[in-house]
Amino acid sequence: MSATQAAEAPPAPPAPTPVRGKASRRHLVPYWLLLPGILWLLVFFVAPMVYQASTSVQTGSLETGYRVTWHFATYADALGAYYPQFLKSVLYSGTATLLCLLVGYPLAYTIAFRAGRWRNLVLILVIAPFFTSFLIRTLAWKTILADGGPVVGALSALHVLDVTSWLGVTDGQRVLATPLAVICGLTYNFLPFMILPLYTSLERIDGRLHEAAGDLYARPFTAFRKVTFPLSMPGVVAGTLLTFIPATGDYINAELLGSTDEKMVGNVIQSQFLRVLDYPTAAALSFILMAAILAMVTVYIRKSGTEDLV
C-alpha cells in the first residue's frame, strides 16, 4: 500500500465503551422496586411478630414488669383454658363461609353471565357496603334482628325460630345474643370478599365452552358441574380463604350481636390485651390462632387441588 492510499484510508472506529455498569444497574432495578414493600413488611409485620413471640414467653406482671423467661407453658395453659372459644371461632366462621359461598356463587354467576348492561351497577351495589364503617354495619344488625322487629316476627310466624331453637342456634323466639345472630353478622360483613373473587374467576370463562357442552348434549346442570364449577375453583378457593381467615379472628360481631356464651377467640385476645392486661397469654393465643389457621388453609388448598395458590 502506497503512502497516498494510506493517507486516504478512513480512520479506525473507536473501541466500544463497556456497558457492564449500565447492565448491572438495570439488573438491580427490580430489587429497588421491591425495597419499599420489603421495608413495609419488616417494619409492620416481621418486627411486631418477633415482639409478640418474645412477649408470649415472658412472665411477670404489669406492676413488676415482664421479662423473657422462655415460659412455653403459656401456650398449653392458654389453649387448655380457651379451647371452647377456638372451637366456636372455627364453627362460626366456617358456617359463615359456607353461607357466603351459597349466597355469593349464584350472584357472582348472574353478574358474570346474565347481568348484561347492569353488570357495573350490580358490582357497585356489591362493594357499596365498604363505604360504610364495619362497626356501623354490624350495629345495624341489632336493629334488624331486634326482638320486636319484622324479621323476628316473620321468622316466628313461619315457625323457623322453633326449628333454630331446637338446633340450639337461637333462644326461643329471640335471635339477638345467639349464635345465629353472630353467624348472620359474619355472613353479611364478609359476603363481598366471597363475591368478588368468584366473579373474577367466572368472568374469565370462555362462553364458547358452554356452547360446546350444549352441542355435546350436556344438560345445563351437567355443563355447570363438568365445566363451569371446575373452572371457577380458583375463585372458590380464594373467596373462601378471604372470608374464613378474617372471620375466624373477628370479635366485633360476637361482641355486638352475641352474648357472653358466644365469645370467639378474638374476643378473648382483645380482652386479655386491653382489660386483663395479661400480655403473654394474649400473645400466645394470637400465635396459636395463626398456626391453626395456617394449618387448616394449607390442608384445604392441597385438598382442593389448587396448590399453585400456595
Side-chain angles (χ1 to χ4, degrees), residues 62 251 255 263 267-279:
L62 193 63
Y251 67 92
E255 182 72 23
K263 298 303 182 186
N267 300 98
V268 177
I269 295 173
Q270 185 260 356
S271 177
Q272 292 291 325
F273 261 122
L274 302 180
R275 298 178 187 174
V276 184
L277 304 180
D278 187 357
Y279 302 136

Side-chain angles (χ1 to χ4, degrees), residues 49-60 66-76 278-285 287:
M49 288 281 291
V50 173
Y51 177 77
Q52 290 299 324
S54 66
T55 303
S56 66
V57 292
Q58 293 178 359
T59 55
Y66 291 97
R67 59 189 181 89
V68 177
T69 57
W70 306 106
H71 189 258
F72 291 100
T74 305
Y75 286 87
D278 187 357
Y279 302 136
T281 300
L285 287 171
F287 272 94

Side-chain angles (χ1 to χ4, degrees), residues 3-304:
T4 304
Q5 291 176 339
E8 295 177 354
T17 304
V19 294
R20 183 175 303 175
K22 184 182 294 185
S24 62
R25 289 194 299 271
R26 188 177 303 163
H27 179 70
L28 293 175
V29 169
Y31 298 99
W32 286 109
L33 294 176
L34 287 174
L35 185 60
I38 294 175
L39 291 176
W40 179 275
L41 290 176
L42 288 175
V43 174
F44 295 104
F45 181 74
V46 177
M49 288 281 291
V50 173
Y51 177 77
Q52 290 299 324
S54 66
T55 303
S56 66
V57 292
Q58 293 178 359
T59 55
S61 64
L62 193 63
E63 293 79 11
T64 61
Y66 291 97
R67 59 189 181 89
V68 177
T69 57
W70 306 106
H71 189 258
F72 291 100
T74 305
Y75 286 87
D77 296 339
L79 185 59
Y82 299 108
Y83 75 91
Q85 284 76 14
F86 273 100
L87 297 179
K88 286 181 181 179
S89 296
V90 175
L91 178 61
Y92 292 173
S93 59
T95 305
T97 301
L98 179 60
L99 291 175
C100 285
L101 180 60
L102 294 177
V103 174
Y105 199 101
L107 180 57
Y109 184 92
T110 302
I111 297 173
F113 300 117
R114 298 288 186 268
R117 62 191 180 93
W118 301 100
R119 176 180 300 178
N120 293 334
L121 177 60
V122 179
L123 285 174
I124 292 175
L125 294 177
V126 169
I127 65 175
F130 287 119
F131 294 97
T132 306
S133 170
F134 187 93
L135 184 62
I136 294 177
R137 283 185 279 138
T138 307
L139 285 171
W141 275 87
K142 297 191 70 172
T143 304
I144 296 173
L145 301 178
D147 293 341
V151 174
V152 175
L155 294 177
S156 179
L158 296 173
H159 300 286
V160 175
L161 294 182
D162 296 333
V163 178
T164 56
S165 180
W166 178 75
L167 293 174
V169 294
T170 57
D171 184 12
Q173 301 300 307
R174 179 177 173 82
V175 178
L176 277 178
T178 63
L180 181 61
V182 178
I183 293 172
C184 287
L186 291 172
T187 303
Y188 166 75
N189 281 307
F190 294 104
L191 183 60
F193 292 99
M194 177 69 73
I195 295 176
L196 295 178
L198 286 174
Y199 164 74
T200 302
S201 182
L202 289 168
E203 196 269 337
R204 294 177 179 175
I205 298 177
D206 193 342
R208 292 175 295 182
L209 295 176
H210 298 148
E211 298 177 0
D215 293 340
L216 295 173
Y217 304 102
R219 296 178 180 272
F221 179 76
T222 303
F224 171 80
R225 183 170 58 89
K226 294 289 188 179
V227 178
T228 306
F229 189 75
L231 292 177
S232 65
M233 274 303 296
V236 172
V237 173
T240 51
L241 292 181
L242 290 175
T243 303
F244 178 78
I245 293 175
T248 305
D250 179 75
Y251 67 92
I252 301 271
N253 289 275
E255 182 72 23
L256 298 179
L257 302 178
S259 65
T260 55
D261 296 330
E262 277 73 54
K263 298 303 182 186
M264 300 169 64
V265 68
N267 300 98
V268 177
I269 295 173
Q270 185 260 356
S271 177
Q272 292 291 325
F273 261 122
L274 302 180
R275 298 178 187 174
V276 184
L277 304 180
D278 187 357
Y279 302 136
T281 300
L285 287 171
S286 301
F287 272 94
I288 293 174
L289 177 62
M290 182 178 61
I293 291 177
L294 183 62
M296 288 186 290
V297 166
T298 301
V299 172
Y300 171 67
I301 290 178
R302 296 192 179 278
K303 292 296 183 180
S304 62

